[in-house]
Amino acid sequence: MTKIIDIEKAVSLIKSGDTLMVGGFGLVGCPLSLLEKMEEADLKHLTVISNNLGEPGKGLGKLVLQKKVKKGIGSYFTSNPDVVNAYQQNELEIDLMPQGTLAESIRAGGAGIGGFYVKTGAGTKMSEGKEVREIKGETYLFQEALQADVALIKAKKADRYGNLVYLKSARNFNPVMATAASLVIAEVDEIVEPDDLSPEEIVTPHLYVDYLVVRGGDGNES
Amino acid sequence: MTKIIDIEKAVSLIKSGDTLMVGGFGLVGCPLSLLEKMEEADLKHLTVISNNLGEPGKGLGKLVLQKKVKKGIGSYFTSNPDVVNAYQQNELEIDLMPQGTLAESIRAGGAGIGGFYVKTGAGTKMSEGKEVREIKGETYLFQEALQADVALIKAKKADRYGNLVYLKSARNFNPVMATAASLVIAEVDEIVEPDDLSPEEIVTPHLYVDYLVVRGGDGNES
Amino acid sequence: MNHKQRIASRVARELKDGDIVNAGIGIPTLVPDFIPDGVEVFLHSENGILGVGPFPEEGNIDENIINAGKKPVTVKEGASYFDSASSFGMIRGGHIDVAILGALEIDETGRIANWAVPGKPVLGVGGAMDLLEGAKKIFITITHTTKDGKPKIVKENHYPVTSERKADLIITDLAVFKVTSKGLVLTEIFAHSSLQEVEQKTEGAFTIDPSLKQTN
Amino acid sequence: MNHKQRIASRVARELKDGDIVNAGIGIPTLVPDFIPDGVEVFLHSENGILGVGPFPEEGNIDENIINAGKKPVTVKEGASYFDSASSFGMIRGGHIDVAILGALEIDETGRIANWAVPGKPVLGVGGAMDLLEGAKKIFITITHTTKDGKPKIVKENHYPVTSERKADLIITDLAVFKVTSKGLVLTEIFAHSSLQEVEQKTEGAFTIDPSLKQTN
């Protein structure tokens, strides 16, 4: 039983119409080799859950330009003008959430929490259409959990079981996305021996990870 | 600015009537030196949130025998006959929760989540008096977040900033309790230099920790 | 093999290579000893371990590695530790393939009772409810009758149910039942028992699988 | 000092030893340069760092250490990394002492708008709303007027508010206002400005602190 597959095989597991979670904050901690291989794949109508939608021509930005993405669910898409443009051309649907609510709804999706209440956004335009509840005298908004068909995440190291550790601030959304999709593919910089990871330092235990791909030696930095 | 104080000083920060969170699963990961010092303190009417209430005469079990505990909120008290006895004598109130709901409600209390929905317990006696909600066709129960005045937790190592790492399965409830109390006191086996902890391996960042005490060299194992 | 070992041995044959398994206290803790060669399963313990290994030799106990029954255990290569909220996130979130649990009773629809006894103070619930809601499959291991000979597979539970969610498989010291949407189906009888004995000692209704097998 | 540095320098004097501080993009990123000797604060970045250090020298950039503005930063002794859900748990859970944020506008009750402009598509919200709900204190740093001279402190926000929760302190290039339950109170005027200028360039109502000070 090995979880290590090549990048082409990994991308072939993604289907048109799928909902994907894609790790990263900007391009840091983003599974760029997987996304690059997706450029070549015949995929459309994807819903993408990700904090950002890449940068112009980079990462998810390229897939947006290729019109593979039908809808983006995330927190900050302003930094990619191509996304703004696609939205204005009605080529892209957008569902915007406060960053903390986004992260929490993904965690909830992975942890069997159906939904939860946060104060963030109460009384603002973000609360339009949302259920409101008073808890201990304060106003909270209801937020349902998010789940995906596939999560594409990026880690620093994996052992062959699929245990993951992350590098510095490239951790960001990856550990929660690892928990919230039916199929989880982790792009890693290196595969190490199990003994190289202490049981205490593992951030994502292997039960969350279905497949591992090693980042392509194509000069891309991640 | 140092967070390191002696155990007596730490115990003096606890007041009668306080709600305490106490880490540990059984006695493993339980802040035994702090609890032992509490035996000598003039404290009463405590509400204790903890998975168990110690063992006979050990840990929280001793404080139950001393009638310092008014109420226990937790998941599994059966293993301590003194707790069963105190409950039957009407000396102790009990609020019982599924273990996962307990852990999650503590996490919620620390993370600004007012409440959340879980399936656990739906349709059982545990759901009596609980609000029910259908989410995506399944039945969930509402659970409010838990918070405390003081959390007493146990870690393996701390640096002087208060960053914590835990040992093996002694981690259990400690990291979530570290987030959910107004005052957090961590009992640790040793204080190490900041360089001895890598930024990636820190489980509880120092912003959660108010005070550190070093486990007493009294032969107690933790 | 005594009857507990027989039950554990039969459950072990249901496990698939790569399964993530949570094994409760009692009979389930014996299961790992019987896992067939070539099948690697990963044991999850809800107090925060993935990759539980065998019980330690005397004198080799690490008091900081315990299972959910608070017994000292070991960990295997690839193991990890995590906090209680994360551990139950795994359970509720559907990341555990199989939970092997004991029970006080099971009704004829497959609903189990294993946490409370009427008339006694209920001071423990632990992780059983979470496992019953969250694990992908539930295997129940029980002796067929109580110590004083009463059937544990009953028409209606006398004890409060642990979940509305039904078990998938029931393995006793006499027989194996599949739980289906139409009720319990007897699929196997242990060699030392008989259909007559199973019928006599089972209160809840069940049907007999056309390909009923004798098992060891 | 230019006016941005002046603002940053003034905010820095509000910070207390041991404070956990989240500093947003723009002027707030300058604040760490002005923290007084003897005061140690810990900078939180919502993408998952506690203990952000100075910007790196050219040629010394680690692309895996960035702040919430996606700029390369460094980390200091005692720093830690964590995931986004944990990071916003810190924010919403009240574990950040001070958030220093920019704003498009502030109304005379102290409610700020900094995330959306009417008529333009709103494609970014980021972490501002979380910080406004969760941080114990909110310090707002703004230029007193827009580039074309319009007051940013207004009677009523033209832009949608970021939160019903009010700021605690407003620091502009001209003056400092405390936000109280009775509205804005002018407490300090920078030496290069005057009460007349502040009154002229402020649309929202404010009262003047009896011990109004001149500041540098």
Side-chain angles (χ1 to χ4, degrees), chain B residues 25-26 28 52 75-79 84 87-88 94 96-101 103-104 118-126 167-173 175-176 221-222, chain C residues 25 46-49 62-70 81-86 88-89 92 111 115-116 121-127 129-130 133 160-164:
Chain B
F25 183 86
V28 173
N52 317 100
S75 131
Y76 201 79
F77 299 148
T78 325
S79 48
V84 180
Y87 174 76
Q88 287 177 319
I94 296 288
L96 207 64
M97 301 165 72
Q99 195 175 151
T101 304
E104 188 67 18
V118 284
K119 286 193 276 181
T120 315
T124 75
K125 271 191 182 295
M126 289 297 277
L167 182 63
K168 302 178 184 175
S169 72
R171 187 180 303 196
N172 56 62
F173 284 85
V176 286
E221 290 300 317
S222 56
Chain C
I25 57 177
E46 63 258 38
N47 55 315
I49 311 176
D62 182 334
E63 59 181 8
N64 285 300
I65 315 180
I66 59 165
N67 66 13
K70 302 192 181 100
Y81 300 107
F82 30 83
D83 68 55
S84 301
S86 303
F88 282 90
R92 281 189 317 259
R111 295 191 312 171
W115 71 289
V122 180
L123 294 184
V125 48
M129 280 190 181
D130 299 279
E133 281 300 333
V161 296
T162 310
S163 172
E164 286 294 317

Side-chain angles (χ1 to χ4, degrees), chain A residues 187-202:
Chain A
E187 176 178 330
V188 301
D189 291 338
E190 49 175 331
I191 307 282
V192 300
E193 287 303 311
D195 281 355
D196 290 342
L197 304 179
S198 87
E200 276 97 351
E201 75 171 316
I202 291 167

